[in-house]
Amino acid sequence: MAQKITSAKPVDSLLVARFSGISTFMRLPYVPDGTGVDIGIVGVPFDFPTNRGGARHGPSQVRDMSRLIRRFPSSGGESPFDQCAIADIGDAPFNPLDPQSAVEHTSAFFSELESRGITPVACGGDHAATYLVLRGIVRDEPIGFVQFDSHPDTSEELYGDRYNHGTLLTRGVEEGLIDPKRTISVGLRGTRFSRHDRDFNIAHGMRVIDFDEFEKLGRAGVIAEIRRVVGDRPCYVTFDIDALDSAFVPGTGAPEPGGLTMRDAQVVLRGLEGLDIVGADMCEVSPPLDPQGITALNGANLLFELLCITAPAVRRRKAKGNEGR
């Protein structure tokens, strides 16, 4: 029998010990059929073969570490769980022995969520997960795109393959999913494959704030620039966890020193409340590279920050829809 949710809330950790029960994202109800859900937190346990793999195990460890997340933000503001119905709806399906099947099957899964009015907040997997979500939820026109990352992800191919974690923006723009004029990448840094790694961004009018400029602008300046670029139309927010300094994320496939602190990330993400966010994700946690779970704990906290800025957007859209009835 389908479970109907009118007010999905996490388990109260003052009443039920964090180490007990089955792990779900933030101890939320597990509602695999999505009935009554406004925001579905979805695992995408998939990674393309790479030098430092293991991101396919990310959703599992993030679920476990997210037991430590409490119900309210540190500011004492409104809980996302009080603004709309949020649940863990499980993992997107695909055949792990056929990586390219993820492109079709996972995209179809997110397309189904979109058709039912469920806004996704996804947990990868590698950064290809973002493309799979976008392919499922973008319908009539390209949307704005906010990317936190240490790498541009604008390669044409990787090892001759067009679909992978390094071609996210290239495919997204080509296929009309991402509006390049409303796209901003924050935190790019580190060594490059070539001097032309960011040519795609420049050619398509994307805004890039590398970490040198991040330091010059400061957090408030970066927030203002993101809001200027994206505007008030629908947008998507993706956080590749390697945007953080490698000291905070030992368990990721392509760590880069000299990046954002967790405090930087929290402040900037909180500054995006009010954007019309239609989906979000956090990707690239690799538990085999960090068995202690520091990376996954930071990833769980980033997911919570994404929920805190997505929930108000969902509530506004619901209210607007009800006004038109």
Side-chain angles (χ1 to χ4, degrees):
M1 182 175 179
Q3 179 180 358
K4 183 174 178 57
I5 292 185
T6 56
S7 182
K9 300 291 192 300
V11 171
D12 188 342
S13 294
L14 292 175
L15 301 176
V16 182
R18 288 191 173 93
F19 51 79
S20 64
I22 297 172
S23 292
T24 61
F25 286 117
M26 297 169 213
R27 310 192 77 188
L28 284 161
Y30 174 53
V31 187
D33 67 4
T35 300
V37 174
D38 298 318
I39 297 177
I41 311 185
V42 185
V44 186
F46 173 82
D47 56 355
F48 285 97
T50 186
N51 180 46
R52 285 164 51 94
R56 61 189 176 276
H57 300 289
S60 177
Q61 193 185 44
V62 172
R63 278 187 173 97
D64 196 40
M65 297 306 292
S66 73
R67 292 171 181 265
L68 295 173
I69 302 295
R70 299 175 183 87
R71 179 173 165 181
F72 290 90
S74 63
S75 64
E78 192 172 8
S79 169
F81 311 115
D82 292 334
Q83 298 181 52
C84 48
I86 305 174
D88 185 333
I89 59 176
D91 290 342
F94 59 88
N95 180 354
L97 298 180
D98 180 9
Q100 290 305 323
S101 74
V103 174
E104 298 300 330
H105 295 165
T106 306
S107 297
F109 176 84
F110 284 102
S111 180
E112 172 65 15
L113 295 187
E114 194 279 337
S115 70
R116 298 174 58 191
I118 300 173
T119 298
V121 173
C123 177
D126 73 22
H127 213 178
T130 305
Y131 166 72
L132 305 178
V133 178
L134 291 173
R135 199 167 182 263
I137 69 172
V138 177
R139 288 287 191 264
D140 300 324
E141 61 180 4
I143 63 176
F145 192 70
V146 182
Q147 174 195 20
F148 294 89
D149 207 327
S150 63
H151 311 103
D153 292 349
T154 53
S155 298
E156 175 59 33
E157 295 180 345
L158 183 61
Y159 310 128
D161 189 277
R162 289 168 52 81
Y163 298 98
N164 53 71
H165 63 278
T167 61
L168 159 62
L169 272 74
T170 315
R171 299 289 87 81
V173 170
E174 284 180 353
E175 297 178 18
L177 309 175
I178 295 172
D179 180 353
K181 304 299 184 185
R182 297 179 56 234
T183 292
I184 182 166
S185 299
V186 178
L188 303 191
R189 65 187 190 280
T191 55
R192 308 189 192 186
F193 289 107
S194 81
R195 296 178 65 185
H196 306 290
D197 278 1
R198 300 178 191 173
D199 285 1
F200 185 90
N201 304 77
I202 296 169
H204 289 82
M206 297 176 174
R207 179 70 167 96
V208 172
I209 299 178
D210 64 18
F211 196 71
D212 290 336
E213 187 177 4
F214 185 99
E215 290 189 308
K216 291 176 183 177
L217 291 175
R219 297 166 183 161
V222 171
I223 292 167
E225 188 66 354
I226 293 172
R227 299 182 73 93
R228 180 193 70 79
V229 170
V230 174
D232 58 3
R233 290 157 56 204
C235 68
Y236 187 96
V237 181
T238 180
F239 202 110
D240 183 329
I241 205 163
D242 69 29
L244 298 178
D245 188 283
S246 55
F248 298 94
V249 286
T252 192
E256 299 285 357
L260 280 69
T261 65
M262 270 299 292
R263 181 61 177 166
D264 290 331
Q266 291 170 320
V267 171
V268 174
L269 286 175
R270 291 167 189 171
L272 303 187
E273 184 172 341
L275 296 183
D276 187 14
I277 298 170
V278 296
D281 69 62
M282 183 283 303
C283 293
E284 295 286 0
V285 172
S286 178
L289 302 174
D290 180 15
Q292 291 182 327
I294 296 170
T295 309
L297 176 60
N298 285 332
N301 277 275
L302 291 172
L303 271 181
F304 181 74
E305 298 294 344
L306 290 170
L307 277 181
C308 286
I309 59 175
T310 302
V314 171
R315 181 168 62 177
R316 287 192 300 272
R317 288 196 295 273
K318 287 185 64 176
K320 186 175 180 180
N322 291 334
E323 287 173 2
R325 292 179 181 175

